Amino acid sequence: MYRPDYKLSVVVPAYNEEAVLDLFYQKMTEVLKGFGCDYELIFVDDGSADATWAKLAALSEADARVVALRFARNFGHQTAVTAGMDAATGDAVVVIDADLQDPPEVIGEMIERWKEGYDVVYGKRLKREGESFFKKFTAAVYYRLLHFMSASDIPLDTGDFRLLDRRVVDAMCAMREHNRFLRGLSAWTGFSQCAVEYVRHERAAGSTKYTLKKMLRLAGDGIIGFSSKPLTLSFWAGCGVCSLTLCAMLALLIVQIVRGFSLLPWVFALLFLLIGGVFVALGAVGAYLARVYDEVKGRPLYLLSEEKNRSLRS
Ligand code: UDP
Ligand code: MG
């Protein structure tokens, strides 16, 4: 919940970002000082092989508001953000990339919306500058597929650049599942969310740290972690095959009454019916598996957005 003397935590995952860190720190500090609030800048070095850690260590030496965390190896962007959120003590947490693709100025607008009472204010990309056609196209298709498949309201064309209220952060930190898709988790909480539109710039320096393999892994975590549809697909495919085969058998029966009996088409028809049956059975197994999977994840059953007379945080 917004309060006038709020503290802001900014979480920045950094993987081999030596080329951009100083510029990022400069710009971010300028913007944060403009808000006149208390703040902390939490960098998480995701197992970088370059001078990222040395730079972060120097920054934290010079500025007490800079918190630097270092991973023993590269655990991935989503895990780095999680570690930053775990360490955050602010009333709101802003997640932002280190490469200045997401403009720090937009945080001001996010705070305005937070003041209005929104718990999740996400950045919606109006335009993506300096990214390949392949990346833009696959991202656009993927966001729509995910939106269609997922039961949580995961907004279109948004990345991890967002402001999260303390209660959303607490809820997300309580979910300790491994294959994390943070945009999904923040939507899953169900707390009120709204968008702030912005143009995504080109990287200020360096090159992308999201390899195709990492992209695909994240895409998979999004769909598999937030949808059971792929599991139930085979049930409906099986039902489709069975109904089509039954129709074909009826037609065959009529044709054979007129033209005379032959065995071969019936063998084929039975084969198709059996295959359809197998798919239905697989789908049924999938439906159970989907529920088991939900349970194994061990997420809380529900979250209360309001309570009276109970002290939650000191
Ligand atoms: N990043 C990270 N670990 C990784 C890959 C990336 O912490 O394994 C960080 C990276 O330093 C940056 C953010 O995640 O701050 C987004 O990565 P990048 O800009 O390379 O992705 P893109 O914007 O190209 O999708
Ligand atoms: Mg980037």
Side-chain angles (χ1 to χ4, degrees):
M1 214 76 73
Y2 172 81
R3 55 192 181 98
D5 59 338
Y6 68 92
K7 176 177 182 183
L8 196 66
S9 302
V10 177
V11 169
V12 192
Y15 178 52
N16 295 337
E17 299 286 9
E18 60 175 5
V20 78
L21 274 181
D22 288 331
L23 184 64
F24 175 87
Y25 170 76
Q26 242 172 45
K27 286 215 160 173
M28 189 49 116
T29 310
E30 214 177 280
V31 169
L32 286 172
K33 286 204 166 129
F35 298 147
C37 64
D38 187 12
Y39 70 86
E40 62 185 351
L41 200 48
I42 306 173
F43 288 96
V44 183
D45 176 1
D46 187 8
S48 300
D50 66 357
T52 297
W53 179 251
K55 293 221 167 210
L56 291 181
L59 285 176
S60 59
E61 191 80 14
D63 183 347
R65 291 172 192 270
V66 171
V67 178
L69 309 174
R70 186 185 196 179
F71 277 174
R73 66 164 168 91
N74 181 243
F75 283 95
H77 173 238
Q78 304 283 303
T79 311
V81 173
T82 306
M85 284 168 65
D86 285 341
T89 57
D91 298 289
V93 172
V94 169
V95 178
I96 188 167
D97 290 349
D99 58 8
L100 292 170
Q101 278 195 286
D102 308 319
E105 306 84 67
V106 178
I107 299 173
E109 272 177 73
M110 290 181 168
I111 293 173
E112 288 307 311
R113 308 311 298 272
W114 177 49
K115 266 187 201 169
E116 287 167 21
Y118 288 100
D119 293 302
V120 177
V121 188
Y122 55 85
K124 188 173 165 70
R125 299 156 179 175
L126 277 184
K127 227 170 87 184
R128 302 167 71 121
E129 288 173 351
E131 288 184 307
S132 66
F133 170 77
F134 176 75
K135 181 139 188 174
K136 286 187 210 168
F137 178 75
T138 47
V141 170
Y142 173 70
Y143 286 139
R144 274 143 193 87
L145 183 70
L146 179 65
H147 191 76
F148 164 73
M149 286 204 154
S150 167
S152 306
D153 185 15
I154 302 175
L156 297 170
D157 302 322
T158 61
D160 291 303
F161 180 34
R162 59 189 56 215
L163 179 148
L164 305 161
D165 184 79
R166 167 50 56 189
R167 57 182 176 173
V168 180
V169 175
D170 286 344
M172 288 172 70
C173 288
M175 300 182 216
R176 304 315 288 181
E177 60 201 68
H178 287 257
N179 303 299
R180 302 176 81 77
F181 186 65
L182 297 169
R183 294 159 228 186
L185 295 183
S186 79
W188 178 91
T189 62
F191 289 122
S192 58
Q193 47 174 356
C194 77
V196 161
E197 295 182 332
Y198 73 103
V199 174
R200 190 163 211 241
H201 299 312
E202 230 172 302
R203 246 178 182 277
S207 59
T208 181
K209 308 297 177 298
Y210 252 104
T211 53
L212 187 62
K213 195 172 149 202
K214 282 185 176 170
M215 246 15 264
L216 287 174
R217 166 123 213 133
L218 183 69
D221 285 342
I223 290 189
I224 297 170
F226 286 88
S227 166
S228 308
K229 280 199 179 144
L231 278 177
T232 42
L233 222 60
S234 94
F235 177 79
W236 294 109
C239 288
V241 171
C242 284
S243 345
L244 278 178
T245 312
L246 286 174
C247 291
M249 283 168 103
L250 196 69
L252 188 66
L253 190 70
I254 295 167
V255 170
Q256 292 205 350
I257 287 172
V258 180
R259 295 227 181 133
F261 179 76
S262 109
L263 185 65
L264 199 61
W266 289 101
V267 173
F268 273 107
L270 276 177
L271 210 63
F272 269 98
L273 204 59
L274 267 177
I275 292 172
V278 169
F279 272 105
V280 171
L282 259 181
V285 172
Y288 285 95
L289 187 62
R291 282 156 186 78
V292 170
Y293 181 45
D294 276 342
E295 295 303 327
V296 166
K297 277 189 280 198
R299 294 182 194 170
L301 275 183
Y302 63 88
L303 293 161
L304 302 176
S305 64
E306 220 174 326
E307 271 195 356
K308 292 191 196 308
N309 297 336
R310 191 170 128 188
S311 53
L312 284 171
R313 264 177 84 81
S314 57

